[in-house]
């Protein structure tokens, strides 16, 4: 590996922070942790609704472990934190998925309130986006306005359905309610972005690692057994 790489948790092969019966690597973040950083994080869990969120999250993980879908987990989590009005920030390309989710929410006693990404119909060039980007549609996505309108609607919990990379970042920043994600957009994989990771060493290898030497024919045979 290159000398300029800063090692972190992805380079650890023991995960001793979870198992507690293995050895920590020399670069371990846990063993090099500053006490003030640890205490700062623990203190934050006592702020506002953070403690309630943490407890509810752990209970949902435990109670529905390998049994509940993400949709059900969101509803169970919402019940535990007393969230009744659920905001939906969705991509216009996933309007059908948003409608189905809203229908499920309403059937289970929740109120659903959605704001679509193209709300206001603002031209992309009006905020400095290059005109060439309008070739796939003239109206800009408006995640900051989505957040503002959901804030004004006083939603208790917001759910993201397929916002674009970066647009979701802005939505998370400006949402006053806590946010969770139901769908992460990936137009190529049918909104299953982890598929690219699962195939990073096979079908997507040339795209992700273009400078690696090509495998021999024999190695290719092994990959397809």
């Amino acid at each position: 590996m290159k000398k300029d790489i800063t090692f972190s948790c992805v380079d650890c092969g023991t995960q001793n922070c979870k198992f507690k019966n293995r050895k920590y690597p020399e670069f371990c973040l846990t063993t090099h942790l500053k006490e003030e950083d640890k205490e700062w994080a623990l203190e934050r869990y006592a702020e506002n609704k953070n403690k309630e969120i943490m407890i509810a999250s752990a209970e949902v993980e435990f109670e529905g472990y390998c049994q509940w879908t993400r949709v059900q987990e969101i509803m169970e989590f919402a019940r535990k934190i007393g969230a009744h009005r659920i905001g939906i920030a969705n991509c216009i390309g996933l309007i059908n998925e948003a409608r189905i989710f809203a229908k499920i929410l309403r059937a289970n006693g929740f109120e659903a309130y959605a704001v679509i990404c193209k709300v206001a119909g603002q031209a992309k060039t009006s905020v400095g986006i290059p005109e060439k980007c309008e070739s796939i549609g003239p109206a800009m996505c408006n995640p900051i306005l989505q957040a503002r309108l959901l804030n004004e609607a006083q939603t208790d919990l917001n759910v993201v359905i397929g916002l674009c990379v970066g647009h979701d970042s802005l939505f998370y920043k400006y949402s006053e309610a806590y946010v969770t994600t139901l769908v992460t957009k990936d137009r190529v994989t049918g909104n299953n972005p982890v598929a690219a990771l699962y195939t990073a060493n096979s079908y997507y290898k040339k795209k992700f690692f273009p400078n690696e030497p090509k495998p021999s024919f024999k190695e290719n045979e092994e990959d397809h057994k």
Side-chain angles (χ1 to χ4, degrees):
M1 302 181 80
K2 295 181 180 179
K3 292 183 179 179
D4 58 351
I5 291 178
T6 300
F7 295 108
S8 62
C9 292
V10 293
D11 304 297
C12 172
T14 69
Q15 289 85 51
N16 194 43
C17 50
K18 173 183 178 179
F19 296 102
K20 301 296 185 182
N21 59 358
R22 304 173 180 178
K23 290 184 178 180
Y24 290 110
E26 292 182 1
F27 58 84
C28 181
L29 273 62
T30 295
T31 57
H32 289 76
L33 188 66
K34 291 185 290 186
E35 189 63 26
E36 55 264 37
D37 288 339
K38 178 181 177 181
E39 292 303 316
W40 179 87
L42 291 174
E43 288 169 4
R44 299 292 81 74
Y45 291 118
E47 290 182 351
N48 302 319
K49 292 186 67 174
N50 291 351
K51 183 176 181 179
E52 182 183 0
I53 294 292
M54 282 297 293
I55 293 173
S57 301
E59 289 179 343
V60 167
E61 179 190 16
F62 166 72
E63 294 167 10
Y65 198 75
C66 294
Q67 299 180 63
W68 294 345
T69 64
R70 181 82 175 193
V71 170
Q72 187 173 354
E73 284 185 335
I74 290 173
M75 292 193 294
E76 299 297 339
F77 172 71
R79 290 190 180 99
K80 287 180 180 292
I81 65 171
H84 174 71
R85 191 170 221 204
I86 311 300
I88 300 173
N90 67 286
C91 166
I92 196 168
L94 283 88
I95 184 62
N96 289 330
E97 290 84 348
R99 285 172 177 154
I100 293 168
F101 182 55
K103 184 178 180 180
I104 293 171
L105 288 174
R106 289 164 179 162
N108 284 272
F110 295 98
E111 183 179 356
Y113 188 87
V115 180
I116 206 163
C117 64
K118 301 298 185 183
V119 63
Q122 193 77 20
K124 290 177 180 177
T125 53
S126 67
V127 295
I129 296 172
E131 187 176 356
K132 64 182 181 181
C133 296
E134 292 190 344
S135 65
I136 58 171
M140 62 178 268
C141 293
N142 207 333
I144 295 177
L145 183 56
Q146 283 179 287
R148 183 175 177 86
L149 294 180
L150 289 176
N151 292 344
E152 291 180 354
Q154 297 183 325
T155 53
D156 303 312
L157 174 69
N158 290 332
V159 179
V160 166
I161 296 182
L163 296 187
C164 297
V165 171
H167 296 152
D168 54 1
S169 302
L170 289 170
F171 180 80
Y172 298 142
K173 180 177 181 178
Y174 286 95
S175 172
E176 292 177 357
Y178 287 92
V179 183
T180 191
T181 300
L182 176 56
V183 181
T184 301
K185 179 190 288 177
D186 189 327
R187 297 178 181 90
V188 174
T189 65
N191 300 321
N192 180 28
V194 75
L197 303 181
Y198 292 149
T199 58
N201 291 317
S202 55
Y203 301 109
Y204 270 86
K205 190 169 186 177
K206 290 181 180 179
K207 289 181 178 291
F208 292 151
F209 307 106
N211 297 321
E212 283 196 2
K214 293 182 180 180
S216 66
F217 177 74
K218 188 174 182 179
E219 288 173 326
N220 279 324
E221 278 188 328
E222 292 296 321
D223 289 339
H224 289 83
K225 283 184 177 179

